[in-house]
Amino acid sequence: MRIVSLLPSATEICFALGAGDGVLGVTFECDYPSEARQRRIVSTTSLPEGLTPAQIDTAVRERVAAGEDLYKLDRDALRELNPDLVITQDLCAVCAIDLDDVEEALSYLGCQAEVVTTDPHDLDEVFTSIELIGEAIGHPAGDLVEELRKRLAKVRIQGSTRVMLLEWTDPPFAPGHWVPEMVEYAGGANVLGTTGLRSVRTTWPAIEAARPEVIVSAPCGFDLDGASALTQDLLDQGSLPSAVPVWAVDANGCFARPGPRLVDGVEALAGLLHDGPVDPSVARRLR
C-alpha cells in the first residue's frame, strides 16, 4: 500500500505498526522515527522561519481570520507518489493541512486515494484513532493499543498536586483535548483547561491566581530543547509564579501529537509530580 501521511502522529503510528515501508510521503514536521525524514515531503508551512512565539500567535490568528492557508500541499509530489491512502485530520486547522484542501487537491489531480481522517479529543479517542489507522493500512493495532492501555493503568495515580501545563508560552495557553486528562492520570489536578475542549488563551495573573504547585511547559510544536529555551525565557522575565517547580517537556513527541508516545508523557508527568523516575529525553527541570 502506498501511504501519504499528513500528520506526524499518523506517520509515527504507521511505523509503530510495521507499515513504515509503505509511507512514501510525509509533512515537514514528521521527524519520528528518524526514518520518516527519508520520505518525500508533501506538506510544508506557509509561515516564515525564525518567528517568536508571540509572532507565531499573531501570524496564525491573522491568517485564520483572513481565511488564508497555514500549510502548503505539494500537488506535484502528491501526483507523482500516487497514493492508495492519505491520512489527515479534521481536528485543528493550526495543526495540519485542512481536510477540504486535501480532498480538493485529490479531486483536481484525479487521484482515487482513500482518505482517512482522525479527530481525537481525549485519550480514548486517540486509541480509537490508532485502531482506525491500523485497519486502514492493513496492520491491526489491537496489540499496540492494549499495551498502551496497560501502561496507563499501571501508572494511574490518585493525587491532587495542582498543575499548570502551558500549551503555549507567549501568550500563555491552558491545555485542552487529551492533555488535562494526561495530568489527571499522572496524579495531578489540572488547574486551567478542560479535557476534550480546545486549548484556551489565559493570562499570567490568572495562572498566578490558580495557585499551581508545579508548572509544566509544553509549547506545541517544540521539542525538549526548544521548550526548555522558551521556558527559561519566561523564568528570566519573571513571568512564572515564584517558588514553584518548573519543568519543560518534549511537547512534540509526548504531549501535542495524538500518538503512542502520549503514554511516555503521562509516565514522565507521574515521575516529576511524585518524585519518581523521569526520562531525561522527555522532561527537564529548570527550577
Side-chain angles (χ1 to χ4, degrees):
M1 177 178 288
R2 302 170 65 84
I3 303 167
V4 165
S5 170
L6 299 178
L7 291 171
S9 58
T11 300
E12 180 177 344
I13 291 165
C14 287
F15 275 88
L17 293 175
D21 289 345
V23 177
L24 306 181
V26 298
T27 79
F28 74 106
E29 293 179 303
C30 292
D31 55 8
Y32 188 91
S34 59
E35 293 90 334
R37 285 296 194 192
Q38 301 169 12
R39 305 310 194 255
R40 186 162 182 182
I41 295 177
V42 299
S43 174
T44 58
T45 181
S46 63
L47 296 179
E49 296 182 359
L51 299 182
T52 66
Q55 290 169 334
I56 292 173
D57 177 73
T58 298
V60 167
R61 286 189 290 106
E62 289 177 347
R63 294 192 182 201
V64 170
E68 298 176 1
D69 293 331
L70 295 174
Y71 294 89
K72 298 176 182 178
L73 186 63
D74 186 337
R75 294 189 176 191
D76 289 337
L78 198 59
R79 178 191 294 108
E80 292 170 15
L81 292 175
N82 191 26
D84 302 306
L85 178 70
V86 176
I87 308 174
T88 186
Q89 58 91 46
D90 199 19
L91 176 68
C92 175
V94 177
C95 298
I97 194 164
D98 186 81
L99 172 61
D100 290 340
D101 291 337
V102 176
E103 293 180 335
E104 178 185 345
L106 292 175
S107 176
Y108 174 79
L109 297 172
C111 181
Q112 300 301 312
E114 178 186 359
V115 178
V116 171
T117 64
T118 64
D119 188 23
H121 292 77
D122 58 29
L123 289 175
D124 272 338
E125 292 182 1
V126 169
F127 295 144
T128 298
S129 72
I130 293 174
E131 292 173 331
L132 174 67
I133 290 172
E135 181 179 353
I137 64 177
H139 288 252
D143 289 345
L144 173 60
V145 170
E146 181 181 2
E147 177 60 26
L148 293 173
R149 289 189 180 278
K150 284 181 179 178
R151 286 171 58 192
L152 268 185
K154 183 177 180 180
V155 78
R156 188 159 201 170
I157 300 171
Q158 296 298 321
S160 58
T161 303
R162 298 176 62 80
V163 179
M164 178 65 230
L165 194 143
L166 292 168
E167 277 203 12
W168 197 247
T169 59
D170 188 10
F173 269 72
H177 298 123
W178 48 84
V179 177
E181 188 179 11
M182 291 173 67
V183 173
E184 293 163 6
Y185 263 97
N190 189 71
V191 296
L192 294 175
T194 304
T195 295
L197 302 182
R198 293 184 181 276
S199 58
V200 293
R201 184 170 177 168
T202 186
T203 65
W204 298 118
I207 291 172
E208 181 84 41
R211 298 178 291 107
E213 298 172 278
V214 176
I215 294 173
V216 178
S217 180
C220 184
F222 289 85
D223 61 11
L224 179 57
D225 288 340
S228 297
L230 294 180
T231 309
Q232 188 61 53
D233 288 343
L234 295 179
L235 288 169
D236 294 342
Q237 296 161 9
S239 300
L240 301 176
S242 60
V244 176
V246 175
W247 290 76
V249 297
D250 179 1
N252 260 355
C254 303
F255 289 83
R257 299 175 179 175
R261 287 186 293 163
L262 290 182
V263 178
D264 295 356
V266 174
E267 290 169 343
L269 284 174
L272 68 87
L273 291 177
H274 304 286
D275 297 323
V278 177
D279 185 341
S281 70
V282 177
R284 180 182 300 155
R285 184 166 181 172
L286 301 180
R287 184 174 69 188

